[in-house]
Amino acid sequence: SKRDRTAARLSQTAFELFEKHGYDAVTMEQIAAVGDVSKVTLYKYFPIKEALLAHRFREEIASGMKSFGEKVDGKAPFAIRMQQLLSASAAWNESRRVLMPHYLKFRFSKAGSAPQFRSGVYAIVEQLFRQAQSNEEIRQDIPATELAWMFEMLCFGAVVAWLNDERRSLKRRFQSVLDVTLNGISIQETPRKPRTAGRRRK
């Protein structure tokens, strides 16, 4: 639709300005001027600057997930498919490292919870969980929608931790998320044999 095309154009304009001048240096007035729209029109589409970034990122993620969905081997085990997804996600996050804090700030805000600003990863994560349940690879007592939401929140936590400390790569942090998701956090111990009472000495 015309509205979608305009939104995409404005978010692209903003993204180019962010990359050229730095996120903090760019104003909504500049974006409106370069985008050839009035400030009123810009604010109708995007109430705050972070929303422009979120829209651009959502388009990139959606495009990447479509490509991933076409390439992924549907017959591969669930764990392998998730590893492939997380590897691609880690690479994308690393390429957007400078702008990621602003994006996450918006995603965790009230405005960022609106359906049009949800992560483009969620849909394919839900699909992978649903397929795994259908194949009886994972438990089925929790809806795939809920599993996908919990998993995405763990991944967000990994990204935040990585932004604060890059000594441990995001790919490794994502691997930890997957490991916890598949195996839990309890220490698996071999059951001890019951102790038997020794014979009494005469």
Side-chain angles (χ1 to χ4, degrees):
S1 67
K2 181 180 178 180
R3 181 176 180 82
D4 291 339
R5 290 193 297 272
T6 300
R9 179 174 62 81
L10 291 173
S11 66
Q12 173 64 22
T13 298
F15 184 74
E16 291 174 355
L17 289 171
F18 296 154
E19 286 202 312
K20 184 176 181 180
H21 303 292
Y23 181 85
D24 292 328
V26 177
T27 65
M28 292 290 275
E29 288 77 8
Q30 286 177 287
I31 297 169
V34 176
D36 196 26
V37 296
S38 67
K39 282 176 58 179
V40 173
T41 298
L42 178 61
Y43 278 105
K44 283 183 179 179
Y45 279 87
F46 301 102
I48 55 177
K49 190 165 66 170
E50 287 87 350
L52 284 149
L53 183 62
H55 189 279
R56 169 66 184 183
F57 276 8
R58 189 179 188 283
E59 287 191 326
E60 288 187 359
I61 294 170
S63 176
M65 290 304 98
K66 181 180 179 181
S67 176
F68 172 82
E70 293 171 350
K71 295 177 182 177
V72 69
D73 182 2
K75 297 180 181 179
F78 173 70
I80 298 299
R81 283 177 283 163
M82 291 301 292
Q83 285 176 346
Q84 293 172 343
L85 172 63
L86 292 176
S87 179
S89 181
W92 179 83
N93 276 273
E94 288 166 354
S95 72
R96 296 288 181 254
R97 167 68 180 80
V98 175
L99 294 171
M100 194 55 59
H102 305 290
Y103 172 65
L104 291 181
K105 177 183 176 182
F106 178 76
R107 282 300 314 279
F108 283 111
S109 70
K110 184 176 180 180
S113 63
Q116 66 268 34
F117 296 121
R118 287 177 184 166
S119 165
V121 179
Y122 177 85
I124 197 162
V125 170
E126 180 184 357
Q127 179 184 344
L128 290 175
F129 276 113
R130 198 179 302 280
Q131 288 175 347
Q133 287 180 328
S134 178
N135 295 336
E136 298 184 348
E137 294 179 271
I138 62 173
R139 59 192 294 177
Q140 300 174 327
D141 59 319
I142 301 176
T145 51
E146 189 172 338
L147 288 173
W149 177 251
M150 291 188 290
F151 185 79
E152 188 172 28
M153 290 301 100
L154 286 174
C155 288
F156 270 125
V159 172
V160 171
W162 167 69
L163 289 173
N164 289 316
D165 183 2
E166 295 183 57
R167 289 175 296 179
R168 186 164 180 249
S169 71
L170 183 56
K171 186 175 182 178
R172 287 183 62 192
R173 291 181 186 277
F174 278 164
Q175 183 59 46
S176 294
V177 168
L178 181 58
D179 183 48
V180 167
T181 301
L182 295 176
N183 304 310
I185 60 175
S186 297
I187 298 175
Q188 302 297 323
E189 294 184 351
T190 303
R192 294 180 179 179
K193 294 181 179 180
R195 297 179 64 182
T196 56
R199 293 184 179 179
R200 292 183 180 180
R201 293 183 180 177
K202 293 183 179 180

